Amino acid sequence: MIFDTHAHYNDGQFADDRDELLSSMPENGVGLIMNACSNLGEIPDIIALCEKYPFVYGAVGIHPEDAPTAEEGYLDRLREYSKHPKIRAIGEIGLDYYWTADTKKQQKRILGEQVDLARELGLPVIIHDREAHGDTMDILREHKVWECGGVFHCYSGSAEMVKEITGKLNMYVAFGGSLTFKNAVKPREAAKAVPADRLLIETDSPYLAPVPHRGKRNSSLYLPKVLEMLSEIRGVPADELERVTYENGRRLFGI
Ligand code: NI
């Protein structure tokens, strides 16, 4: 079975066929899905999906692009929502200097606060790091992320950085459709460097569909393409990677 450790099925792009698509997951080999969260407004929909589908779990958190929506009291609301038994992570949280470099200061503050919340709650973090490797690593070190653990989603850092992430920081590394893109030389080197017991797969649906579906709406049903690419990179059969990444995801999110 496949564990898609990062998707956004509450996204409007699934409005027309969400139920049909999600209902078809088990018969197509998708056994578990972690639905990530970008802002407070999404959380009721995420919880509704968790309650409707036994194989869907959720996270709560403020995405760096939504940093300006983190108003006074947002941590209390995240803490309250996190009591739901199917909320198993804080995320996605992090830094994005590609789209929103102008809110750096605010992004850094809410990332640190949310890592502290994750440690307090004993939940892993889901990290979004785009063009912000140095600052992201600094904040994770400063806020002792190893006490709660977590995952770098859609990993775009170096193979060198993988060592500290999977070692000292006690975290996992996830790869998705972008691994199959023609220019993904650096991510493929990184994917080779991740220890087997720290490797995860994800879609970031509806975004980042793998080749040959690139540019279309993504879904967990395309994950065999990511497993095929990982199999080629690591020289390990795809079905073994499917099994290992499923177990890794269950361990990380306590499922
Ligand atoms: Ni995402």
Side-chain angles (χ1 to χ4, degrees):
M1 293 293 252
I2 283 173
F3 190 167
D4 182 352
T5 61
H6 192 113
H8 299 271
Y9 280 109
N10 54 299
D11 191 280
Q13 289 192 47
F14 296 107
D16 292 341
D17 62 347
R18 183 178 293 112
D19 285 323
E20 196 186 332
L21 182 62
L22 283 172
S23 304
S24 77
M25 291 296 165
E27 73 206 44
N28 285 296
V30 177
L32 287 167
I33 293 169
M34 170 55 67
N35 203 97
C37 172
S38 300
N39 56 60
L40 289 168
E42 291 185 337
I43 300 176
D45 286 343
I46 291 172
I47 288 180
L49 286 176
C50 290
E51 289 178 345
K52 187 161 187 183
Y53 297 97
F55 53 87
V56 175
Y57 286 78
V60 295
I62 312 286
H63 188 286
E65 281 181 57
D66 286 290
T69 71
E71 72 275 14
E72 193 74 21
Y74 81 98
L75 285 169
D76 288 334
R77 294 187 60 196
L78 292 177
R79 189 181 285 112
E80 199 52 37
Y81 282 127
S82 73
K83 288 179 185 158
H84 192 282
K86 292 195 80 182
I87 296 299
R88 297 298 174 89
I90 299 298
E92 58 186 288
I93 62 177
L95 302 176
D96 193 316
Y97 295 169
Y98 181 80
W99 291 112
T100 44
D102 54 323
T103 57
K104 272 187 188 181
K105 221 178 128 186
Q106 203 171 12
Q107 290 186 40
K108 288 192 204 174
R109 178 176 56 80
I110 71 158
L111 170 57
E113 288 172 353
Q114 291 180 98
V115 174
D116 289 346
L117 177 69
R119 284 168 48 229
E120 172 199 320
L121 299 169
L123 291 174
V125 289
I126 298 170
I127 296 296
H128 171 108
D129 159 25
R130 190 153 187 209
E131 316 241 321
H133 305 322
D135 283 353
T136 301
M137 293 295 275
D138 279 348
I139 291 171
L140 294 178
R141 290 183 197 111
E142 194 185 319
H143 290 266
K144 301 187 177 107
V145 74
W146 52 86
E147 290 183 3
C148 57
V151 51
F152 266 72
H153 115 81
C154 193
Y155 186 69
S156 61
S158 65
E160 188 57 33
M161 205 168 102
V162 163
K163 288 183 200 156
E164 185 179 351
I165 290 171
T166 59
K168 187 185 171 201
L169 297 190
N170 183 31
M171 294 177 74
Y172 292 70
V173 184
F175 296 92
S178 48
L179 198 63
T180 67
F181 298 172
K182 207 173 166 187
N183 58 358
V185 178
K186 197 175 149 194
R188 286 200 276 266
E189 276 171 17
K192 204 171 176 175
V194 178
D197 64 350
R198 294 282 157 166
L199 185 68
L200 298 173
I201 55 169
E202 63 162 68
T203 56
D204 206 14
S205 296
Y207 311 106
L208 297 173
V211 172
H213 310 288
R214 190 172 182 181
K216 293 187 197 145
R217 187 186 73 174
N218 199 2
S219 93
S220 313
L221 302 179
Y222 293 159
L223 276 172
K225 294 288 168 204
V226 174
L227 286 167
E228 271 170 36
M229 177 53 75
L230 275 173
S231 168
E232 202 177 296
I233 294 167
R234 294 173 66 96
V236 172
D239 57 351
E240 188 183 326
L241 289 166
E242 179 177 327
R243 185 183 56 75
V244 166
T245 54
Y246 190 82
E247 287 312 314
N248 290 346
R250 287 184 59 192
R251 191 185 322 117
L252 173 63
F253 297 117
I255 296 169

